Amino acid sequence: MKKFNITVAGGGSTFTPGIILMLLDYLDEFPIDTIKLYDNDGERQKTIADACEILLKERAPEVSLLASTNPEEAFTNVDFVMAHIRVGKYAMREQDEKIPLKHGVVGQETCGPGGIAYGMRSIPGVLELVDYMEKYSPEAWMLNYSNPAAIVAEATRKLRPNSKILNICDMPIGIEELIAKNLGLSSRKEMEVDYYGLNHFGWWTDIRDKQGNSLMSKVTEHVSQHGYATDGTSELEQQESWNSTLKKARDVQVLDPATVPNTYLKYYLYPDYEVAHSNKEYTRANEVMAGREKFIFEECQAIIENGTAEETKLTIDEHASYIVDLAKAIAFNTKERMLMIVENNGAIINFDPTAMVEVPCIVGSKGPEKLVVGEIPRFQKSLMEQQVGVEKLVVEAFEEGSYQKLWQAITLSKTVPSAKVAKDILDDLIEANKAFWPELK
Protein backbone atom coordinates (compact mmCIF):
# COMPACT_ATOMS: atom_id res chain seq x y z
CA MET A 1 0.00 0.00 0.00
CA LYS A 2 1.29 3.44 -0.89
CA LYS A 3 2.65 5.58 1.91
CA PHE A 4 1.46 9.19 1.85
CA ASN A 5 3.21 12.47 2.53
CA ILE A 6 1.20 15.00 4.50
CA THR A 7 1.70 18.66 5.32
CA VAL A 8 -0.04 19.97 8.43
CA ALA A 9 -0.45 23.71 7.81
CA GLY A 10 -0.68 25.45 11.14
CA GLY A 11 2.03 23.28 12.66
CA GLY A 12 2.16 25.44 15.78
CA SER A 13 -1.52 24.87 16.53
CA THR A 14 -2.60 23.40 19.85
CA PHE A 15 -4.48 20.80 17.78
CA THR A 16 -1.39 19.50 15.97
CA PRO A 17 -0.22 16.94 18.60
CA GLY A 18 -3.70 15.40 18.80
CA ILE A 19 -3.93 15.18 15.03
CA ILE A 20 -0.52 13.55 14.74
CA LEU A 21 -1.46 11.02 17.42
CA MET A 22 -4.67 10.34 15.54
CA LEU A 23 -2.77 9.83 12.26
CA LEU A 24 -0.49 7.34 14.01
CA ASP A 25 -3.53 5.48 15.27
CA TYR A 26 -4.69 4.94 11.69
CA LEU A 27 -1.37 3.94 10.09
CA ASP A 28 -2.67 0.46 9.20
CA GLU A 29 -5.49 2.04 7.17
CA PHE A 30 -3.65 5.13 5.97
CA PRO A 31 0.12 4.56 5.81
CA ILE A 32 2.35 7.64 6.09
CA ASP A 33 5.91 8.17 4.96
CA THR A 34 6.46 11.79 6.00
CA ILE A 35 4.59 14.39 8.04
CA LYS A 36 5.61 17.97 7.40
CA LEU A 37 4.66 20.81 9.72
CA TYR A 38 4.37 24.30 8.28
CA ASP A 39 3.82 27.54 10.17
CA ASN A 40 4.85 31.16 9.73
CA ASP A 41 5.73 31.29 13.44
CA GLY A 42 8.82 29.13 13.63
CA GLU A 43 9.38 29.55 17.36
CA ARG A 44 5.87 28.46 18.30
CA GLN A 45 6.00 25.55 15.86
CA LYS A 46 9.38 24.36 17.17
CA THR A 47 7.97 23.49 20.59
CA ILE A 48 5.19 21.42 19.01
CA ALA A 49 7.53 19.87 16.43
CA ASP A 50 10.28 18.90 18.89
CA ALA A 51 7.74 17.14 21.10
CA CYS A 52 6.07 15.41 18.14
CA GLU A 53 9.46 14.21 16.88
CA ILE A 54 9.99 12.40 20.17
CA LEU A 55 6.45 10.98 19.97
CA LEU A 56 7.12 9.64 16.48
CA LYS A 57 10.49 8.10 17.37
CA GLU A 58 8.84 6.20 20.22
CA ARG A 59 5.58 5.19 18.56
CA ALA A 60 6.20 5.15 14.81
CA PRO A 61 9.92 5.46 14.01
CA GLU A 62 9.25 4.65 10.35
CA VAL A 63 7.41 7.98 9.93
CA SER A 64 9.59 11.00 9.24
CA LEU A 65 8.85 14.47 10.58
CA LEU A 66 9.96 17.75 9.07
CA ALA A 67 9.09 21.18 10.47
CA SER A 68 9.63 24.21 8.29
CA THR A 69 8.71 27.84 7.76
CA ASN A 70 9.83 27.56 4.12
CA PRO A 71 6.86 27.02 1.77
CA GLU A 72 8.87 25.21 -0.91
CA GLU A 73 10.29 22.76 1.61
CA ALA A 74 6.95 22.23 3.35
CA PHE A 75 4.72 21.84 0.29
CA THR A 76 6.93 19.95 -2.18
CA ASN A 77 6.10 16.29 -2.90
CA VAL A 78 3.03 15.98 -0.66
CA ASP A 79 -0.27 14.20 -1.28
CA PHE A 80 -2.43 16.05 1.24
CA VAL A 81 -2.34 19.40 3.01
CA MET A 82 -4.32 19.39 6.26
CA ALA A 83 -4.95 23.04 7.04
CA HIS A 84 -5.98 24.39 10.43
CA ILE A 85 -4.51 27.86 10.63
CA ARG A 86 -5.51 30.67 13.00
CA VAL A 87 -4.29 33.98 11.61
CA GLY A 88 -3.57 36.27 14.55
CA LYS A 89 -3.60 33.38 17.03
CA TYR A 90 -5.71 33.44 20.20
CA ALA A 91 -4.78 37.05 20.95
CA MET A 92 -6.84 38.16 17.94
CA ARG A 93 -9.62 35.76 18.82
CA GLU A 94 -9.85 37.63 22.11
CA GLN A 95 -10.37 40.87 20.15
CA ASP A 96 -12.98 39.19 17.92
CA GLU A 97 -14.97 38.33 21.02
CA LYS A 98 -14.47 41.39 23.21
CA ILE A 99 -14.94 44.19 20.65
CA PRO A 100 -18.52 43.20 19.71
CA LEU A 101 -19.38 42.58 23.37
CA LYS A 102 -18.24 46.11 24.17
CA HIS A 103 -21.05 47.27 21.87
CA GLY A 104 -23.65 44.90 23.33
CA VAL A 105 -23.37 42.39 20.47
CA VAL A 106 -22.56 38.67 20.49
CA GLY A 107 -18.81 38.10 20.75
CA GLN A 108 -18.02 34.74 19.13
CA GLU A 109 -15.10 33.58 17.01
CA THR A 110 -17.08 32.35 13.98
CA CYS A 111 -20.46 34.10 14.33
CA GLY A 112 -21.46 37.73 13.89
CA PRO A 113 -18.86 40.53 13.76
CA GLY A 114 -16.19 38.38 15.42
CA GLY A 115 -16.54 35.72 12.75
CA ILE A 116 -16.43 38.40 10.05
CA ALA A 117 -13.21 39.85 11.52
CA TYR A 118 -11.68 36.38 11.72
CA GLY A 119 -12.79 35.69 8.15
CA MET A 120 -11.05 38.80 6.85
CA ARG A 121 -7.81 37.50 8.41
CA SER A 122 -8.27 33.90 7.33
CA ILE A 123 -9.03 34.52 3.65
CA PRO A 124 -5.51 35.61 2.62
CA GLY A 125 -3.92 32.97 4.84
CA VAL A 126 -5.86 30.10 3.30
CA LEU A 127 -5.47 31.44 -0.25
CA GLU A 128 -1.71 31.59 0.33
CA LEU A 129 -1.70 27.92 1.38
CA VAL A 130 -3.70 26.95 -1.72
CA ASP A 131 -1.20 28.78 -3.91
CA TYR A 132 1.78 27.09 -2.23
CA MET A 133 0.19 23.67 -2.68
CA GLU A 134 -0.64 24.26 -6.33
CA LYS A 135 2.86 25.57 -7.03
CA TYR A 136 4.85 22.83 -5.32
CA SER A 137 2.47 19.80 -5.34
CA PRO A 138 -0.17 20.45 -8.02
CA GLU A 139 -1.70 16.97 -7.68
CA ALA A 140 -2.26 17.32 -3.92
CA TRP A 141 -5.59 17.89 -2.15
CA MET A 142 -6.11 20.40 0.62
CA LEU A 143 -8.35 19.27 3.47
CA ASN A 144 -9.30 22.57 5.03
CA TYR A 145 -10.84 22.90 8.47
CA SER A 146 -9.62 26.43 9.18
CA ASN A 147 -12.29 28.71 10.61
CA PRO A 148 -14.51 30.51 9.92
CA ALA A 149 -15.19 27.71 7.45
CA ALA A 150 -18.21 29.33 5.76
CA ILE A 151 -16.35 32.51 4.80
CA VAL A 152 -13.18 30.61 3.86
CA ALA A 153 -15.21 28.25 1.67
CA GLU A 154 -16.92 31.15 -0.13
CA ALA A 155 -13.52 32.80 -0.66
CA THR A 156 -12.00 29.69 -2.20
CA ARG A 157 -15.10 29.16 -4.37
CA LYS A 158 -14.92 32.69 -5.73
CA LEU A 159 -11.20 33.42 -5.74
CA ARG A 160 -9.68 29.94 -6.36
CA PRO A 161 -12.52 28.19 -8.24
CA ASN A 162 -10.39 25.39 -9.71
CA SER A 163 -8.41 24.53 -6.61
CA LYS A 164 -8.45 21.04 -5.12
CA ILE A 165 -9.63 22.16 -1.71
CA LEU A 166 -12.19 20.33 0.41
CA ASN A 167 -13.84 22.34 3.18
CA ILE A 168 -15.07 20.41 6.18
CA CYS A 169 -15.99 21.12 9.80
CA ASP A 170 -15.77 18.99 12.94
CA MET A 171 -18.73 20.58 14.75
CA PRO A 172 -21.40 18.27 13.29
CA ILE A 173 -19.07 15.35 14.05
CA GLY A 174 -18.89 16.32 17.72
CA ILE A 175 -22.65 16.73 17.99
CA GLU A 176 -23.27 13.40 16.24
CA GLU A 177 -20.99 11.66 18.73
CA LEU A 178 -23.13 13.06 21.56
CA ILE A 179 -26.31 11.99 19.74
CA ALA A 180 -24.90 8.48 19.29
CA LYS A 181 -23.98 8.33 22.97
CA ASN A 182 -27.51 9.35 23.98
CA LEU A 183 -28.89 6.65 21.68
CA GLY A 184 -26.70 4.00 23.31
CA LEU A 185 -24.55 3.57 20.20
CA SER A 186 -20.78 3.18 20.35
CA SER A 187 -20.05 5.67 17.56
CA ARG A 188 -21.61 8.15 15.15
CA LYS A 189 -20.50 5.74 12.43
CA GLU A 190 -23.39 3.51 13.43
CA MET A 191 -25.71 6.26 12.13
CA GLU A 192 -26.58 7.75 8.76
CA VAL A 193 -27.74 11.36 8.82
CA ASP A 194 -29.66 13.81 6.68
CA TYR A 195 -28.59 17.40 7.26
CA TYR A 196 -28.64 20.72 5.44
CA GLY A 197 -27.62 24.29 6.06
CA LEU A 198 -24.53 26.45 6.03
CA ASN A 199 -21.46 25.89 8.16
CA HIS A 200 -22.35 26.41 11.86
CA PHE A 201 -25.88 27.10 10.62
CA GLY A 202 -27.81 23.89 9.90
CA TRP A 203 -30.34 21.26 10.89
CA TRP A 204 -30.49 17.47 11.08
CA THR A 205 -33.73 16.24 9.51
CA ASP A 206 -33.30 12.50 9.98
CA ILE A 207 -30.94 10.12 11.74
CA ARG A 208 -31.09 6.40 10.95
CA ASP A 209 -29.33 3.24 12.05
CA LYS A 210 -27.43 1.21 9.48
CA GLN A 211 -30.52 -0.88 8.81
CA GLY A 212 -32.38 2.24 7.72
CA ASN A 213 -34.60 2.57 10.79
CA SER A 214 -35.25 6.17 11.80
CA LEU A 215 -34.03 7.14 15.26
CA MET A 216 -35.22 10.71 14.90
CA SER A 217 -38.12 10.56 17.35
CA LYS A 218 -35.73 9.51 20.14
CA VAL A 219 -33.27 12.22 19.16
CA THR A 220 -35.83 15.04 19.03
CA GLU A 221 -37.32 13.94 22.36
CA HIS A 222 -33.94 14.04 24.08
CA VAL A 223 -32.94 17.39 22.56
CA SER A 224 -36.30 18.94 23.48
CA GLN A 225 -35.66 18.09 27.13
CA HIS A 226 -31.88 18.16 27.56
CA GLY A 227 -30.33 19.66 24.45
CA TYR A 228 -27.28 17.61 23.52
CA ALA A 229 -26.25 17.00 27.13
CA THR A 230 -25.29 13.42 27.93
CA ASP A 231 -24.18 11.98 31.25
CA GLY A 232 -21.71 14.81 31.73
CA THR A 233 -18.59 12.80 30.94
CA SER A 234 -17.94 14.00 27.38
CA GLU A 235 -15.00 16.32 26.72
CA LEU A 236 -17.26 19.17 25.63
CA GLU A 237 -19.40 18.90 28.75
CA GLN A 238 -16.32 19.26 30.93
CA GLN A 239 -16.06 22.86 29.72
CA GLU A 240 -18.58 25.21 31.32
CA SER A 241 -19.16 27.36 28.23
CA TRP A 242 -19.74 24.31 26.04
CA ASN A 243 -21.97 22.67 28.63
CA SER A 244 -24.37 25.61 28.52
CA THR A 245 -24.21 25.67 24.70
CA LEU A 246 -25.19 22.01 24.46
CA LYS A 247 -28.16 22.55 26.77
CA LYS A 248 -29.26 25.72 24.96
CA ALA A 249 -29.96 23.61 21.85
CA ARG A 250 -33.35 22.74 23.36
CA ASP A 251 -34.42 26.39 23.07
CA VAL A 252 -33.32 26.50 19.44
CA GLN A 253 -35.05 23.23 18.62
CA VAL A 254 -38.42 24.60 19.78
CA LEU A 255 -38.56 26.68 16.58
CA ASP A 256 -38.73 23.50 14.46
CA PRO A 257 -39.41 20.49 16.69
CA ALA A 258 -39.16 17.98 13.82
CA THR A 259 -35.44 18.75 13.42
CA VAL A 260 -32.42 19.16 15.70
CA PRO A 261 -30.15 22.19 15.25
CA ASN A 262 -26.49 23.00 15.01
CA THR A 263 -25.56 24.49 18.39
CA TYR A 264 -24.22 27.72 16.85
CA LEU A 265 -27.72 28.78 15.84
CA LYS A 266 -28.20 30.01 19.40
CA TYR A 267 -26.03 33.04 18.62
CA TYR A 268 -28.40 34.11 15.83
CA LEU A 269 -31.73 33.20 17.42
CA TYR A 270 -30.99 34.22 21.03
CA PRO A 271 -28.35 36.97 20.73
CA ASP A 272 -29.79 38.99 23.63
CA TYR A 273 -29.52 35.96 25.93
CA GLU A 274 -25.95 35.29 24.81
CA VAL A 275 -24.81 38.86 25.44
CA ALA A 276 -26.51 38.93 28.85
CA HIS A 277 -24.73 35.70 29.84
CA SER A 278 -21.29 36.68 28.53
CA ASN A 279 -18.40 37.97 30.60
CA LYS A 280 -17.03 40.93 28.66
CA GLU A 281 -13.74 40.73 30.54
CA TYR A 282 -13.15 36.98 30.27
CA THR A 283 -14.36 35.31 27.09
CA ARG A 284 -13.95 31.89 25.54
CA ALA A 285 -10.57 32.97 24.11
CA ASN A 286 -9.32 33.59 27.65
CA GLU A 287 -10.59 30.16 28.70
CA VAL A 288 -8.71 28.51 25.83
CA MET A 289 -5.47 30.42 26.46
CA ALA A 290 -5.56 29.60 30.18
CA GLY A 291 -6.68 26.03 29.55
CA ARG A 292 -5.99 24.17 26.31
CA GLU A 293 -3.15 26.34 25.00
CA LYS A 294 -1.28 26.39 28.33
CA PHE A 295 -1.77 22.64 28.80
CA ILE A 296 -0.59 21.66 25.31
CA PHE A 297 2.55 23.77 25.39
CA GLU A 298 3.42 22.67 28.93
CA GLU A 299 3.02 19.02 27.93
CA CYS A 300 5.15 19.51 24.82
CA GLN A 301 7.83 21.25 26.87
CA ALA A 302 7.78 18.40 29.37
CA ILE A 303 8.29 15.85 26.58
CA ILE A 304 11.26 17.85 25.28
CA GLU A 305 12.85 18.23 28.72
CA ASN A 306 12.32 14.57 29.65
CA GLY A 307 13.36 13.29 26.23
CA THR A 308 10.40 10.92 26.23
CA ALA A 309 6.62 10.98 25.72
CA GLU A 310 5.97 7.84 27.75
CA GLU A 311 4.08 9.65 30.50
CA THR A 312 2.54 12.44 28.43
CA LYS A 313 -1.05 13.47 28.98
CA LEU A 314 -1.44 14.44 25.32
CA THR A 315 -4.27 12.45 23.78
CA ILE A 316 -5.58 11.50 20.36
CA ASP A 317 -7.98 14.00 18.87
CA GLU A 318 -10.75 11.45 18.18
CA HIS A 319 -12.98 14.01 16.44
CA ALA A 320 -10.18 14.50 13.94
CA SER A 321 -10.67 10.94 12.68
CA TYR A 322 -12.98 12.49 10.07
CA ILE A 323 -9.87 14.02 8.46
CA VAL A 324 -8.42 10.54 7.96
CA ASP A 325 -11.79 9.34 6.64
CA LEU A 326 -11.72 12.19 4.13
CA ALA A 327 -8.12 11.51 3.08
CA LYS A 328 -8.87 7.79 2.73
CA ALA A 329 -11.96 8.55 0.64
CA ILE A 330 -9.81 10.54 -1.80
CA ALA A 331 -6.85 8.16 -1.76
CA PHE A 332 -8.75 4.87 -1.97
CA ASN A 333 -12.08 5.93 -3.53
CA THR A 334 -14.01 4.60 -0.54
CA LYS A 335 -17.23 6.50 -1.36
CA GLU A 336 -17.54 7.64 2.26
CA ARG A 337 -20.72 9.52 3.11
CA MET A 338 -19.69 12.76 4.84
CA LEU A 339 -21.01 16.24 5.57
CA MET A 340 -19.05 18.64 3.38
CA ILE A 341 -19.17 22.37 2.62
CA VAL A 342 -19.77 22.53 -1.14
CA GLU A 343 -21.24 24.81 -3.78
CA ASN A 344 -25.01 24.27 -3.70
CA ASN A 345 -25.61 24.05 -7.44
CA GLY A 346 -28.97 22.27 -7.07
CA ALA A 347 -28.47 20.25 -3.89
CA ILE A 348 -31.01 22.52 -2.17
CA ILE A 349 -33.40 23.19 -5.02
CA ASN A 350 -34.93 26.44 -3.78
CA PHE A 351 -31.66 28.10 -2.75
CA ASP A 352 -28.88 30.18 -4.30
CA PRO A 353 -26.88 27.80 -6.54
CA THR A 354 -23.61 29.60 -5.71
CA ALA A 355 -24.03 29.40 -1.92
CA MET A 356 -21.58 27.21 -0.04
CA VAL A 357 -23.87 24.79 1.80
CA GLU A 358 -23.17 21.98 4.25
CA VAL A 359 -24.86 18.78 3.02
CA PRO A 360 -24.19 15.03 2.83
CA CYS A 361 -21.81 14.03 0.05
CA ILE A 362 -20.36 10.79 -1.25
CA VAL A 363 -16.59 11.29 -1.37
CA GLY A 364 -14.32 9.41 -3.75
CA SER A 365 -11.12 9.94 -5.69
CA LYS A 366 -12.62 12.82 -7.69
CA GLY A 367 -13.87 14.64 -4.61
CA PRO A 368 -17.37 15.08 -3.16
CA GLU A 369 -20.60 14.28 -5.02
CA LYS A 370 -23.50 16.14 -3.41
CA LEU A 371 -26.68 14.33 -2.41
CA VAL A 372 -29.88 16.18 -3.33
CA VAL A 373 -31.67 17.62 -0.31
CA GLY A 374 -34.66 18.96 -2.27
CA GLU A 375 -36.64 21.99 -1.17
CA ILE A 376 -36.25 23.39 2.33
CA PRO A 377 -38.82 25.20 4.50
CA ARG A 378 -39.27 28.97 4.31
CA PHE A 379 -38.03 29.58 7.87
CA GLN A 380 -34.65 27.93 7.33
CA LYS A 381 -34.37 29.22 3.77
CA SER A 382 -34.90 32.81 4.90
CA LEU A 383 -32.36 32.56 7.72
CA MET A 384 -29.83 30.98 5.40
CA GLU A 385 -30.32 33.61 2.69
CA GLN A 386 -29.55 36.36 5.18
CA GLN A 387 -26.42 34.57 6.39
CA VAL A 388 -25.20 33.75 2.87
CA GLY A 389 -25.54 37.44 2.10
CA VAL A 390 -23.20 38.19 5.00
CA GLU A 391 -20.62 35.65 3.83
CA LYS A 392 -20.64 36.84 0.21
CA LEU A 393 -20.36 40.49 1.23
CA VAL A 394 -17.34 39.71 3.41
CA VAL A 395 -15.54 38.03 0.51
CA GLU A 396 -16.44 40.91 -1.82
CA ALA A 397 -15.23 43.39 0.79
CA PHE A 398 -11.92 41.56 1.02
CA GLU A 399 -11.52 41.30 -2.76
CA GLU A 400 -12.42 44.94 -3.41
CA GLY A 401 -10.98 46.48 -0.23
CA SER A 402 -14.46 47.88 0.40
CA TYR A 403 -15.35 49.52 3.71
CA GLN A 404 -18.93 49.90 2.46
CA LYS A 405 -19.44 46.20 1.80
CA LEU A 406 -17.92 45.14 5.11
CA TRP A 407 -20.21 47.60 6.88
CA GLN A 408 -23.13 46.09 4.95
CA ALA A 409 -22.02 42.57 5.96
CA ILE A 410 -21.92 43.42 9.67
CA THR A 411 -25.23 45.29 9.42
CA LEU A 412 -26.84 42.28 7.72
CA SER A 413 -25.76 39.86 10.45
CA LYS A 414 -28.71 38.75 12.53
CA THR A 415 -26.62 39.29 15.65
CA VAL A 416 -26.32 43.07 15.08
CA PRO A 417 -29.21 45.41 16.00
CA SER A 418 -28.52 48.41 13.74
CA ALA A 419 -26.30 49.94 11.07
CA LYS A 420 -24.98 52.43 13.64
CA VAL A 421 -23.83 49.67 15.96
CA ALA A 422 -22.37 47.83 12.96
CA LYS A 423 -20.32 50.88 11.99
CA ASP A 424 -19.04 51.41 15.52
CA ILE A 425 -17.95 47.77 15.72
CA LEU A 426 -16.36 47.88 12.27
CA ASP A 427 -14.29 50.94 13.11
CA ASP A 428 -12.98 49.26 16.25
CA LEU A 429 -12.24 46.04 14.34
CA ILE A 430 -10.31 47.95 11.67
CA GLU A 431 -8.09 49.47 14.35
CA ALA A 432 -7.49 46.06 15.95
CA ASN A 433 -6.77 44.31 12.63
CA LYS A 434 -4.40 46.81 11.01
CA ALA A 435 -1.67 44.19 10.80
CA PHE A 436 -3.90 41.65 9.09
CA TRP A 437 -6.67 43.18 6.94
CA PRO A 438 -6.25 44.84 3.57
CA GLU A 439 -6.76 48.59 3.61
CA LEU A 440 -10.48 49.41 3.28
CA LYS A 441 -11.69 52.40 1.30
Side-chain angles (χ1 to χ4, degrees), residues 247-260:
K247 291 176 179 176
K248 189 66 178 173
R250 62 192 170 202
D251 294 331
V252 178
Q253 195 242 1
V254 171
L255 286 157
D256 186 357
T259 67
V260 292

Side-chain angles (χ1 to χ4, degrees), residues 298-326:
E298 285 180 350
E299 281 296 304
C300 286
Q301 195 59 47
I303 291 171
I304 295 165
E305 290 173 1
N306 296 331
T308 178
E310 285 184 7
E311 296 183 7
T312 185
K313 296 175 185 173
L314 295 176
T315 57
I316 294 172
D317 187 351
E318 292 288 0
H319 287 169
S321 64
Y322 73 97
I323 303 164
V324 174
D325 291 336
L326 181 55

Side-chain angles (χ1 to χ4, degrees), residues 101 208 269 283 363 433:
L101 280 170
R208 300 173 294 280
L269 300 175
T283 63
V363 186
N433 283 276

Side-chain angles (χ1 to χ4, degrees), residues 349-370:
I349 294 170
N350 57 336
F351 199 63
D352 183 345
T354 69
M356 294 300 284
V357 296
E358 194 165 32
V359 294
C361 297
I362 303 298
V363 186
S365 57
K366 293 184 178 180
E369 299 175 43
K370 300 180 289 288

Side-chain angles (χ1 to χ4, degrees), residues 16 33 70 93 104 125 187 195 221 252 254 295 358 380 388:
T16 296
D33 180 68
N70 181 299
R93 176 178 177 173
S187 165
Y195 179 98
E221 181 181 4
V252 178
V254 171
F295 168 76
E358 194 165 32
Q380 281 88 349
V388 163

Side-chain angles (χ1 to χ4, degrees), residues 334-354:
T334 63
K335 302 296 184 181
E336 182 90 3
R337 181 175 172 136
M338 307 183 76
L339 291 182
M340 303 287 298
I341 306 165
V342 293
E343 189 169 9
N344 181 33
N345 200 22
I348 300 173
I349 294 170
N350 57 336
F351 199 63
D352 183 345
T354 69

